[in-house]
């Protein structure tokens, strides 16, 4: 007598595998997004430190990452606009004004999920992890990074977002 699996047994196994995959895939995507965001955080910290050294020696902050020269060795990753490619994201120098709220900072963006990480030069630590309110995929990533559950409506009226500070 031959031993074989019945159709019902095979369907049950396929169903169990499908359920496990449905549970695991979102967690995997969140872990990948957090890893990509952590690359940006590391790059932002490195650029911030380079800007501090640049400021101490020149009295002003560099206007583009490419201007950091010896202070930020991986300048070959920058493009003509002054942005620095980091994995699936990019970082750039953002200078809006000289005050602490909108002051000079490095801003790093990731497109999937759509998040922005900002770090001011004068303070230590992340200023904000924000995500676009038209795509809530970045919400969980920013919560994990900032270890907070409270946010404020940031960005601008053209680009509404939630910022974990």
């Amino acid at each position: 007598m031959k031993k074989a699996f019945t159709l019902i047994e095979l369907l049950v196994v396929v169903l169990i595998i499908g359920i496990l995959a449905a549970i695991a895939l979102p967690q995997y995507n969140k872990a990948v997004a957090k890893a990509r965001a952590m690359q940006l955080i590391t790059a932002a910290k490195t650029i911030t430190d380079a800007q501090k050294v640049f400021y101490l020696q020149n009295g002003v902050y560099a206007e583009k990452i490419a201007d950091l020269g010896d202070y930020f060795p991986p300048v070959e990753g920058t493009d003509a606009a002054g942005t620095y490619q980091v994995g699936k994201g990019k970082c750039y120098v953002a200078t809006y004004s000289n005050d602490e709220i909108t002051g000079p900072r490095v801003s790093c963006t990731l497109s999937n999920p759509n998040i922005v990480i900002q770090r001011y030069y004068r303070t230590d630590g992340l200023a904000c992890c924000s995500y676009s309110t038209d795509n809530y995929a970045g919400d969980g990533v920013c919560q994990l990074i900032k270890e907070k559950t409270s946010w404020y409506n940031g960005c601008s009226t053209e680009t509404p977002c939630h910022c974990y500070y």
Side-chain angles (χ1 to χ4, degrees):
M1 183 168 160
K2 282 187 163 182
K3 291 188 178 185
F5 294 108
T6 66
L7 182 59
I8 297 295
E9 289 172 330
L10 290 174
L11 287 175
V12 168
V13 169
V14 170
L15 179 68
I16 290 171
I17 291 171
I19 290 170
L20 291 174
I23 293 170
L25 192 60
Q27 294 302 319
Y28 171 75
N29 288 338
K30 189 184 284 187
V32 168
K34 184 178 179 193
R36 289 180 178 158
M38 293 308 287
Q39 280 184 311
L40 294 180
I41 290 170
T42 302
K45 171 74 169 131
T46 305
I47 294 167
T48 299
D49 292 344
Q51 281 283 34
K52 288 178 182 179
V53 173
F54 188 90
Y55 184 83
L56 287 173
Q57 292 188 348
N58 300 297
V60 294
Y61 292 112
E63 293 183 16
K64 290 191 260 180
I65 292 175
D67 295 341
L68 291 173
D70 295 334
Y71 312 107
F72 185 64
V75 172
E76 64 273 358
T78 60
D79 61 16
T83 60
Y84 176 64
Q85 190 72 33
V86 182
K88 298 279 186 181
K90 60 183 175 179
C91 295
Y92 60 94
V93 171
T95 307
Y96 298 107
S97 73
N98 224 9
D99 64 61
E100 208 55 46
I101 304 296
T102 61
R105 62 183 172 259
V106 61
S107 185
C108 298
T109 61
L110 187 64
S111 59
N112 189 14
N114 189 9
I115 62 171
V116 177
I117 295 168
Q118 295 185 351
R119 186 181 191 103
Y120 293 113
Y121 303 144
R122 296 186 190 131
T123 57
D124 203 17
L126 289 177
C128 176
C129 177
S130 59
Y131 65 94
S132 174
T133 55
D134 64 354
N135 179 358
Y136 282 86
D139 181 46
V141 176
C142 284
Q143 277 187 23
L144 287 170
I145 289 171
K146 291 297 284 181
E147 297 177 343
K148 294 185 177 184
T149 57
S150 60
W151 49 263
Y152 71 92
N153 286 320
C155 302
S156 64
T157 54
E158 298 87 32
T159 312
C161 75
H162 292 161
C163 177
Y164 286 87
Y165 49 94

